[in-house]
Amino acid sequence: MMDHSKYLESLFSFVDQSPTSFHVASNAATRLEAAGFTRLYEADSWRHLNSGKFFVIRHDGGLIAFTLEGDRETPRPFRMAGSHTDSPSLRVRPQPMQLHQGCLQLGVEVYGGALLAPWFDRNLSLAGRVGWLDEQGELHSTLLDCKRALATLPSLAIHLDREANNGRALNKQTDLVPLLGLSAESSPPDFTQWLKEELKKQKTEISVAEVLDFDLFLYEPQPLTQIGLEGELITGSRLDNQLSCHALLQGLINAEVPGNAMIVLNDHEEVGSATPSGAQGPFLSTVLERLYPDPDVRQQVIARSFFISADNAHAVHPNFAGKHEPDHMPKLNQGPVLKTNANQRYATTGVTASLFRSLCKKAEVPCQQFVMRNDMACGSTIGPLTASQIGVATVDVGVPQLAMHSIRETVGHLDGWYLMRVMQTFFEAEDAAVCLPEL
């Protein structure tokens, strides 16, 4: 197995190079190709697919990678695991440039359930996807990462708002307008023209005639940082849920896979998953239909398979321990967390939890438990969506973290490594070890 120092190096590189879901899928593809996986395209035929290692990307932000062994007429179980590539953020509006009081500003929308206060007074950069035409009128799509600090959201001075420390509400329309610079002009500049020049600087091999549109997000360019008296903590952006994506990806790549295994990296979990590349969409079901065209064989495969949904969990906050169910308080660096909910906001059952616990024991990894308080609403994951979409037995787990959905989150330096070890153990398990026992 990958040792801890190599794991941290790999994680830091992956997250720092992935400011958006598009970059997550692209960087995952690069690692998969380096490990001998072959890219498939949905527009091509998969009819004559043989044993091997493959991956497919949908709409730039969703990715499924899998290994196949043997013929596709034999219903062998799939070791399946899923996570999501997106994180809460501020998305740039289609016509974003604004000019107020000599200040050039950028119009944004809130993407997902972001914790907004930590976005203020940070250095912010831009990244995402740009659609453009070349000199011959051909349409292209290119990833963009400005990497350097371009904007900030300045706080209002406490002298002008004496109630600032007493829980003042933020107005998403008027308060969340980042500052880009200063201008003496009477009207704001053309954002697409600026994008055109930025693309030409970053991608010198392309010839951009016109930028047509974009999917761009603000992000903090500060890299992941290891902190603490003994370096026992990691702080950084997008740990929910790129840490899980990385654990699944490296677990699959590192595994000496004896059979069929699959990772599903869905986009748009933070906004409901109801998209073609989201868990509520048809991405996974269509891949399975193409791998197993015979409906009877496909249902046998699903019935024998197991799905691990990996999405970060709430570690107990030392200043707010009362927000947790007293007997279920996950701690940092104490291992992955099993997540359960009586109302099926998580897909975990006693049987699926038992299987995951057995994998943790085999991997020599500790395991924790999370249940939401009865007087608080429970979040959800791609687990229940996937389970209900295809009918696969599912468990919801996650690495414990603090400050979920903040621009800068905190995890223990061991927990992602623990999760990766469990995932590798899962992918290497014999067929019988991933089949649920029946009454």
Side-chain angles (χ1 to χ4, degrees), residues 39-40 65 90 100 110 122 126 139 144 153 162 183 198-199 213 288 294 313 318 339 364 378 381 384 393 405:
R39 181 171 181 178
L40 302 176
L90 301 181
H100 301 114
V110 178
R122 302 268 183 173
L126 277 171
L139 181 63
L144 177 71
L153 266 170
R162 295 294 182 179
S183 176
E198 189 68 19
L199 268 179
D213 219 318
L288 290 173
D294 185 318
K339 301 190 284 187
E364 298 181 342
C378 182
T381 70
H405 287 196

Side-chain angles (χ1 to χ4, degrees), residues 79-81 306 308 359 422-429 434:
R79 301 146 190 80
M80 308 167 74
F306 187 62
I308 298 176
L359 291 169
V422 177
M423 297 314 306
Q424 183 172 340
T425 299
F426 174 52
F427 293 133
E428 291 178 341
V434 297

Side-chain angles (χ1 to χ4, degrees), residues 72-78 80 284-305 389-392:
R72 290 190 281 161
E73 286 73 40
T74 302
R76 299 187 62 186
F78 248 115
M80 308 167 74
L284 175 56
S285 58
T286 54
V287 167
L288 290 173
E289 287 168 8
R290 298 186 74 173
L291 294 181
Y292 297 97
D294 185 318
D296 187 57
V297 173
R298 183 167 64 253
Q299 289 307 310
Q300 290 181 70
V301 170
I302 292 172
R304 298 174 183 180
S305 297
Q389 283 278 316
I390 67 171
V392 65

Side-chain angles (χ1 to χ4, degrees), residues 98-105 177 179 181-188:
Q98 302 177 20
L99 196 56
H100 301 114
Q101 309 302 323
C103 294
L104 186 61
Q105 294 180 276
V177 191
L179 178 65
L182 304 176
S183 176
E185 302 296 325
S186 58
S187 59

Side-chain angles (χ1 to χ4, degrees), residues 337-353:
V337 179
L338 276 162
K339 301 190 284 187
T340 59
N341 179 257
N343 296 308
Q344 296 299 295
R345 298 293 288 170
Y346 302 129
T348 305
T349 69
V351 179
T352 61

Side-chain angles (χ1 to χ4, degrees), residues 23 125-127 142-148 150 194-206:
H23 291 82
S125 188
L126 277 171
T142 300
L143 292 186
L144 177 71
D145 182 2
C146 294
K147 296 183 179 179
R148 67 191 187 280
L150 293 169
W194 178 84
L195 270 182
K196 174 183 174 180
E197 298 304 316
E198 189 68 19
L199 268 179
K200 288 165 67 176
K201 284 192 294 185
Q202 290 195 25
K203 312 285 184 179
T204 56
E205 74 279 5
I206 65 177

